[in-house]
């Protein structure tokens, strides 16, 4: 599996079987340049413009935006877990979906705009996680400290932080990535993409920053 970051919370997952899955595609109001992405499947965690711009993805034939188990192929399954976009049971920003993608023997999770610590029941539906795409910027999502606790709760082996302040969204009231990275003693690896398989998990970084493709 190859995982690349397009920007913000948008990632592209490329499977060995040829399937391409995009997560939370953003629109041009997000700050990041919109770049052409092709994918058969789009995962949409919630209905905000910086996460649901499926119209900017080419070749989409299936959108997963509802809770439950979704079989995308005989060897690819997605479980969407309902949660909230805030710490007040959704009263501020509504609902959110966390996604668990099971493919190639891997368990890969994308938490969308998670706004609270997952419950034990929610965590049990996701853990353990091989690769975790984790919001860390706070204000609209969990903050850095809570994000670290979530990663521990989900037993994440590889953490890919997302939804933080960059040059593209410098006016947003969210924290920069450094506040999250400072919580870890080991330096994060900066990568253009993550190429991962179940057999090489022991060789993978525990914390990796994928460079946004849209900012290159």
């Amino acid at each position: 599996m190859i995982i690349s970051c397009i920007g913000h919370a948008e990632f592209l997952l490329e499977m060995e079987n040829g399937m391409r899955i995009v997560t939370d595609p953003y629109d041009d109001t997000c700050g990041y340049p919109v770049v052409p992405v092709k994918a058969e499947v789009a995962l949409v965690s919630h209905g905000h413009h910086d996460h649901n711009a499926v119209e900017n993805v080419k070749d989409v034939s299936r959108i997963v935006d509802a809770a439950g188990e979704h079989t995308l192929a005989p060897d690819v399954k997605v479980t969407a877990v309902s949660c909230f976009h805030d710490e007040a049971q959704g009263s501020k920003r509504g609902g959110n979906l966390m996604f668990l993608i099971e493919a190639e023997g891997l368990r890969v999770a994308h938490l969308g705009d998670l706004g609270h610590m997952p419950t034990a029941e929610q965590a049990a539906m996701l853990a353990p996680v091989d690769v975790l795409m984790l919001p860390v910027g706070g204000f609209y999502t969990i903050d850095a400290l809570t994000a670290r606790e979530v990663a521990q709760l989900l037993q994440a082996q590889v953490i890919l932080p997302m939804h933080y302040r960059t040059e593209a969204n410098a006016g947003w009231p969210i924290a920069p990535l450094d506040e999250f990275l400072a919580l870890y003693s080991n330096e994060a690896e900066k990568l253009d993409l993550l190429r991962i398989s179940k057999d090489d998990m022991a060789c993978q970084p525990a914390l990796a920053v994928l460079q946004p493709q849209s900012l290159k």
Side-chain angles (χ1 to χ4, degrees), residues 118-137:
T119 65
E121 181 180 4
Q122 290 165 340
M125 298 176 72
L126 299 171
V129 172
D130 294 310
V131 181
L132 179 62
M133 288 163 271
L134 178 68
V136 302

PDB file of all heavy atoms in Angstrom, residues 118-137:
ATOM      1  N   PRO A 118     -12.345   9.102  21.913  1.00  0.00           N
ATOM      2  CA  PRO A 118     -13.295   8.037  21.577  1.00  0.00           C
ATOM      3  C   PRO A 118     -13.720   7.275  22.826  1.00  0.00           C
ATOM      4  O   PRO A 118     -12.957   7.139  23.785  1.00  0.00           O
ATOM      5  CB  PRO A 118     -12.485   7.139  20.635  1.00  0.00           C
ATOM      6  CG  PRO A 118     -11.391   7.996  20.110  1.00  0.00           C
ATOM      7  CD  PRO A 118     -11.057   8.949  21.216  1.00  0.00           C
ATOM      8  N   THR A 119     -14.936   6.788  22.797  1.00  0.00           N
ATOM      9  CA  THR A 119     -15.404   5.928  23.875  1.00  0.00           C
ATOM     10  C   THR A 119     -14.725   4.566  23.762  1.00  0.00           C
ATOM     11  O   THR A 119     -14.112   4.233  22.740  1.00  0.00           O
ATOM     12  CB  THR A 119     -16.917   5.739  23.790  1.00  0.00           C
ATOM     13  OG1 THR A 119     -17.231   5.023  22.575  1.00  0.00           O
ATOM     14  CG2 THR A 119     -17.648   7.074  23.793  1.00  0.00           C
ATOM     15  N   ALA A 120     -14.866   3.754  24.797  1.00  0.00           N
ATOM     16  CA  ALA A 120     -14.302   2.413  24.765  1.00  0.00           C
ATOM     17  C   ALA A 120     -14.900   1.601  23.624  1.00  0.00           C
ATOM     18  O   ALA A 120     -14.194   0.834  22.944  1.00  0.00           O
ATOM     19  CB  ALA A 120     -14.545   1.720  26.102  1.00  0.00           C
ATOM     20  N   GLU A 121     -16.188   1.773  23.398  1.00  0.00           N
ATOM     21  CA  GLU A 121     -16.849   1.041  22.313  1.00  0.00           C
ATOM     22  C   GLU A 121     -16.330   1.479  20.949  1.00  0.00           C
ATOM     23  O   GLU A 121     -16.054   0.647  20.074  1.00  0.00           O
ATOM     24  CB  GLU A 121     -18.356   1.262  22.375  1.00  0.00           C
ATOM     25  CG  GLU A 121     -19.134   0.507  21.301  1.00  0.00           C
ATOM     26  CD  GLU A 121     -20.625   0.739  21.387  1.00  0.00           C
ATOM     27  OE1 GLU A 121     -21.060   1.556  22.231  1.00  0.00           O
ATOM     28  OE2 GLU A 121     -21.359   0.120  20.622  1.00  0.00           O
ATOM     29  N   GLN A 122     -16.158   2.768  20.762  1.00  0.00           N
ATOM     30  CA  GLN A 122     -15.622   3.266  19.494  1.00  0.00           C
ATOM     31  C   GLN A 122     -14.192   2.793  19.280  1.00  0.00           C
ATOM     32  O   GLN A 122     -13.827   2.366  18.177  1.00  0.00           O
ATOM     33  CB  GLN A 122     -15.679   4.799  19.475  1.00  0.00           C
ATOM     34  CG  GLN A 122     -17.080   5.363  19.379  1.00  0.00           C
ATOM     35  CD  GLN A 122     -17.147   6.834  19.730  1.00  0.00           C
ATOM     36  OE1 GLN A 122     -16.264   7.384  20.396  1.00  0.00           O
ATOM     37  NE2 GLN A 122     -18.202   7.500  19.284  1.00  0.00           N
ATOM     38  N   ALA A 123     -13.394   2.862  20.315  1.00  0.00           N
ATOM     39  CA  ALA A 123     -11.998   2.437  20.208  1.00  0.00           C
ATOM     40  C   ALA A 123     -11.899   0.960  19.864  1.00  0.00           C
ATOM     41  O   ALA A 123     -11.036   0.545  19.067  1.00  0.00           O
ATOM     42  CB  ALA A 123     -11.258   2.735  21.504  1.00  0.00           C
ATOM     43  N   ALA A 124     -12.774   0.157  20.428  1.00  0.00           N
ATOM     44  CA  ALA A 124     -12.745  -1.282  20.175  1.00  0.00           C
ATOM     45  C   ALA A 124     -13.048  -1.612  18.713  1.00  0.00           C
ATOM     46  O   ALA A 124     -12.603  -2.643  18.209  1.00  0.00           O
ATOM     47  CB  ALA A 124     -13.743  -1.996  21.085  1.00  0.00           C
ATOM     48  N   MET A 125     -13.784  -0.744  18.030  1.00  0.00           N
ATOM     49  CA  MET A 125     -14.099  -0.965  16.627  1.00  0.00           C
ATOM     50  C   MET A 125     -12.931  -0.625  15.710  1.00  0.00           C
ATOM     51  O   MET A 125     -12.924  -1.006  14.535  1.00  0.00           O
ATOM     52  CB  MET A 125     -15.322  -0.142  16.230  1.00  0.00           C
ATOM     53  CG  MET A 125     -16.582  -0.518  16.979  1.00  0.00           C
ATOM     54  SD  MET A 125     -17.994   0.530  16.580  1.00  0.00           S
ATOM     55  CE  MET A 125     -18.369  -0.044  14.913  1.00  0.00           C
ATOM     56  N   LEU A 126     -11.943   0.086  16.243  1.00  0.00           N
ATOM     57  CA  LEU A 126     -10.815   0.527  15.424  1.00  0.00           C
ATOM     58  C   LEU A 126      -9.503  -0.165  15.783  1.00  0.00           C
ATOM     59  O   LEU A 126      -8.723  -0.524  14.897  1.00  0.00           O
ATOM     60  CB  LEU A 126     -10.629   2.039  15.573  1.00  0.00           C
ATOM     61  CG  LEU A 126     -11.788   2.943  15.144  1.00  0.00           C
ATOM     62  CD1 LEU A 126     -11.513   4.381  15.558  1.00  0.00           C
ATOM     63  CD2 LEU A 126     -12.014   2.858  13.645  1.00  0.00           C
ATOM     64  N   ALA A 127      -9.239  -0.324  17.055  1.00  0.00           N
ATOM     65  CA  ALA A 127      -7.943  -0.827  17.510  1.00  0.00           C
ATOM     66  C   ALA A 127      -7.816  -2.337  17.304  1.00  0.00           C
ATOM     67  O   ALA A 127      -8.820  -3.052  17.325  1.00  0.00           O
ATOM     68  CB  ALA A 127      -7.757  -0.482  18.989  1.00  0.00           C
ATOM     69  N   PRO A 128      -6.563  -2.786  17.115  1.00  0.00           N
ATOM     70  CA  PRO A 128      -5.335  -2.010  16.985  1.00  0.00           C
ATOM     71  C   PRO A 128      -5.180  -1.470  15.566  1.00  0.00           C
ATOM     72  O   PRO A 128      -5.709  -2.031  14.616  1.00  0.00           O
ATOM     73  CB  PRO A 128      -4.246  -3.039  17.298  1.00  0.00           C
ATOM     74  CG  PRO A 128      -4.827  -4.337  16.793  1.00  0.00           C
ATOM     75  CD  PRO A 128      -6.306  -4.246  17.070  1.00  0.00           C
ATOM     76  N   VAL A 129      -4.441  -0.368  15.451  1.00  0.00           N
ATOM     77  CA  VAL A 129      -4.282   0.308  14.169  1.00  0.00           C
ATOM     78  C   VAL A 129      -2.816   0.248  13.737  1.00  0.00           C
ATOM     79  O   VAL A 129      -1.926   0.578  14.520  1.00  0.00           O
ATOM     80  CB  VAL A 129      -4.738   1.780  14.289  1.00  0.00           C
ATOM     81  CG1 VAL A 129      -4.409   2.556  13.022  1.00  0.00           C
ATOM     82  CG2 VAL A 129      -6.232   1.845  14.566  1.00  0.00           C
ATOM     83  N   ASP A 130      -2.596  -0.156  12.501  1.00  0.00           N
ATOM     84  CA  ASP A 130      -1.230  -0.159  11.956  1.00  0.00           C
ATOM     85  C   ASP A 130      -0.797   1.246  11.550  1.00  0.00           C
ATOM     86  O   ASP A 130       0.316   1.677  11.852  1.00  0.00           O
ATOM     87  CB  ASP A 130      -1.141  -1.098  10.746  1.00  0.00           C
ATOM     88  CG  ASP A 130      -1.346  -2.551  11.127  1.00  0.00           C
ATOM     89  OD1 ASP A 130      -0.680  -3.005  12.074  1.00  0.00           O
ATOM     90  OD2 ASP A 130      -2.174  -3.225  10.500  1.00  0.00           O
ATOM     91  N   VAL A 131      -1.678   1.957  10.846  1.00  0.00           N
ATOM     92  CA  VAL A 131      -1.385   3.327  10.399  1.00  0.00           C
ATOM     93  C   VAL A 131      -2.557   4.212  10.803  1.00  0.00           C
ATOM     94  O   VAL A 131      -3.707   3.886  10.512  1.00  0.00           O
ATOM     95  CB  VAL A 131      -1.172   3.404   8.876  1.00  0.00           C
ATOM     96  CG1 VAL A 131      -0.835   4.832   8.456  1.00  0.00           C
ATOM     97  CG2 VAL A 131      -0.082   2.448   8.424  1.00  0.00           C
ATOM     98  N   LEU A 132      -2.256   5.347  11.444  1.00  0.00           N
ATOM     99  CA  LEU A 132      -3.295   6.231  11.954  1.00  0.00           C
ATOM    100  C   LEU A 132      -3.125   7.635  11.395  1.00  0.00           C
ATOM    101  O   LEU A 132      -2.114   8.293  11.646  1.00  0.00           O
ATOM    102  CB  LEU A 132      -3.240   6.289  13.485  1.00  0.00           C
ATOM    103  CG  LEU A 132      -4.251   7.207  14.171  1.00  0.00           C
ATOM    104  CD1 LEU A 132      -5.676   6.754  13.898  1.00  0.00           C
ATOM    105  CD2 LEU A 132      -3.979   7.270  15.675  1.00  0.00           C
ATOM    106  N   MET A 133      -4.117   8.108  10.626  1.00  0.00           N
ATOM    107  CA  MET A 133      -4.173   9.492  10.160  1.00  0.00           C
ATOM    108  C   MET A 133      -4.967  10.277  11.195  1.00  0.00           C
ATOM    109  O   MET A 133      -6.166  10.057  11.370  1.00  0.00           O
ATOM    110  CB  MET A 133      -4.800   9.550   8.768  1.00  0.00           C
ATOM    111  CG  MET A 133      -3.869   8.998   7.687  1.00  0.00           C
ATOM    112  SD  MET A 133      -4.700   8.588   6.132  1.00  0.00           S
ATOM    113  CE  MET A 133      -5.152   6.868   6.467  1.00  0.00           C
ATOM    114  N   LEU A 134      -4.286  11.189  11.891  1.00  0.00           N
ATOM    115  CA  LEU A 134      -4.743  11.722  13.175  1.00  0.00           C
ATOM    116  C   LEU A 134      -4.783  13.248  13.171  1.00  0.00           C
ATOM    117  O   LEU A 134      -3.747  13.893  12.958  1.00  0.00           O
ATOM    118  CB  LEU A 134      -3.770  11.233  14.261  1.00  0.00           C
ATOM    119  CG  LEU A 134      -3.982  11.681  15.694  1.00  0.00           C
ATOM    120  CD1 LEU A 134      -5.253  11.081  16.265  1.00  0.00           C
ATOM    121  CD2 LEU A 134      -2.771  11.255  16.541  1.00  0.00           C
ATOM    122  N   PRO A 135      -5.957  13.872  13.409  1.00  0.00           N
ATOM    123  CA  PRO A 135      -5.990  15.333  13.517  1.00  0.00           C
ATOM    124  C   PRO A 135      -5.304  15.787  14.800  1.00  0.00           C
ATOM    125  O   PRO A 135      -5.507  15.194  15.854  1.00  0.00           O
ATOM    126  CB  PRO A 135      -7.489  15.650  13.535  1.00  0.00           C
ATOM    127  CG  PRO A 135      -8.135  14.428  14.120  1.00  0.00           C
ATOM    128  CD  PRO A 135      -7.296  13.273  13.647  1.00  0.00           C
ATOM    129  N   VAL A 136      -4.525  16.868  14.703  1.00  0.00           N
ATOM    130  CA  VAL A 136      -3.723  17.281  15.867  1.00  0.00           C
ATOM    131  C   VAL A 136      -3.807  18.774  16.154  1.00  0.00           C
ATOM    132  O   VAL A 136      -3.233  19.243  17.142  1.00  0.00           O
ATOM    133  CB  VAL A 136      -2.235  16.894  15.672  1.00  0.00           C
ATOM    134  CG1 VAL A 136      -2.094  15.391  15.453  1.00  0.00           C
ATOM    135  CG2 VAL A 136      -1.582  17.664  14.528  1.00  0.00           C
ATOM    136  N   GLY A 137      -4.510  19.557  15.329  1.00  0.00           N
ATOM    137  CA  GLY A 137      -4.419  21.005  15.405  1.00  0.00           C
ATOM    138  C   GLY A 137      -5.277  21.692  16.437  1.00  0.00           C
ATOM    139  O   GLY A 137      -5.085  22.874  16.730  1.00  0.00           O
TER     140      GLY A 137
END
